[in-house]
């Protein structure tokens, strides 16, 4: 294959639509803008969400609640899910993401006492519930607050 034999893929190149260049082009006279009206005028168009003076949808719908942008995202993990690890393993943030227990971005991890733990683990997390600490230590493991 030579350079002069190359051609673009079928349908990838289109002719530019030249509007407002006379009746013969099919896009003459009003140039696809219809007759008069706000959209036919030159200059700045309407802003996003403008409904012709009618109260826009984003202002008609009632607002509820409050979204605190400074809130910390805490991931809660039950003691029962820690059974996925091998006996004697060290469970920390890296290990939790590796096993797929923690997936999205977060600020801290808290271990809760739901479920039963059957393996001896060293668990490192930001926070523990009292019941979780009791269950981990009862199984022969250790807890460390990061």
């Amino acid at each position: 294959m030579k350079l002069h034999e190359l051609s673009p893929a079928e349908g990838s190149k289109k002719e530019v639509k030249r509007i407002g260049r006379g009746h013969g082009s099919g896009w003459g006279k009003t140039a696809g803008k219809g007759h008069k009206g706000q959209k036919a005028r030159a200059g700045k168009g309407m802003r996003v969400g403008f409904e012709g003076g009618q109260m826009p949808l984003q202002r008609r719908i009632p607002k509820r609640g409050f979204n605190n942008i400074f809130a910390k995202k805490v991931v809660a993990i039950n003691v029962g899910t820690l059974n996925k690890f091998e006996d004697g393993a060290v469970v920390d943030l890296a290990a939790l993401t590796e096993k797929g227990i923690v997936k999205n971005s977060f600020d801290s991890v808290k271990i809760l006492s739901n479920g039963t733990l059957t393996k001896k683990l060293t668990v490192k997390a930001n926070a523990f519930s009292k019941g979780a600490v009791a269950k981990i230590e009862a199984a022969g493991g250790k807890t460390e607050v990061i």
Side-chain angles (χ1 to χ4, degrees):
M1 180 174 278
K2 297 186 176 84
L3 255 160
H4 70 275
E5 294 173 344
L6 293 174
S7 62
E10 193 66 39
S12 67
K13 293 284 196 174
K14 286 197 284 187
E15 291 266 335
V16 177
K17 188 201 290 186
R18 295 185 70 227
I19 59 171
R21 294 293 181 273
H23 291 293
S25 70
W27 292 100
K29 196 184 172 202
T30 54
K33 288 180 174 276
H35 291 278
K36 300 183 183 176
Q38 189 173 11
K39 291 182 183 175
R41 308 295 182 207
K44 189 93 165 88
M46 290 153 289
R47 68 182 176 272
V48 174
F50 183 68
E51 297 184 21
Q54 173 178 297
M55 188 62 68
L57 183 68
Q58 70 267 23
R59 291 189 62 196
R60 274 182 275 157
I61 294 173
K63 307 295 180 278
R64 294 260 313 148
F66 171 75
N67 186 20
N68 185 2
I69 60 169
F70 300 107
K72 303 288 184 212
K73 262 192 181 175
V74 179
V75 176
I77 296 170
N78 293 317
V79 167
T81 58
L82 298 179
N83 284 320
K84 289 184 178 180
F85 292 96
E86 302 82 38
D87 201 26
V90 177
V91 179
D92 56 353
L93 303 180
L96 290 168
T97 51
E98 193 177 303
K99 284 277 186 185
I101 296 168
V102 175
K103 289 175 184 149
N104 299 331
S105 61
F106 56 90
D107 294 311
S108 61
V109 174
K110 182 169 183 173
I111 308 295
L112 303 178
S113 65
N114 194 8
T116 55
L117 185 66
T118 57
K119 297 175 181 172
K120 183 179 175 181
L121 301 172
T122 304
V123 185
K124 298 177 181 180
N126 300 90
F128 295 90
S129 67
K130 288 179 184 175
V133 172
K135 285 185 179 182
I136 292 167
E137 289 175 355
K142 285 188 267 180
T143 57
E144 289 181 37
V145 178
I146 299 173

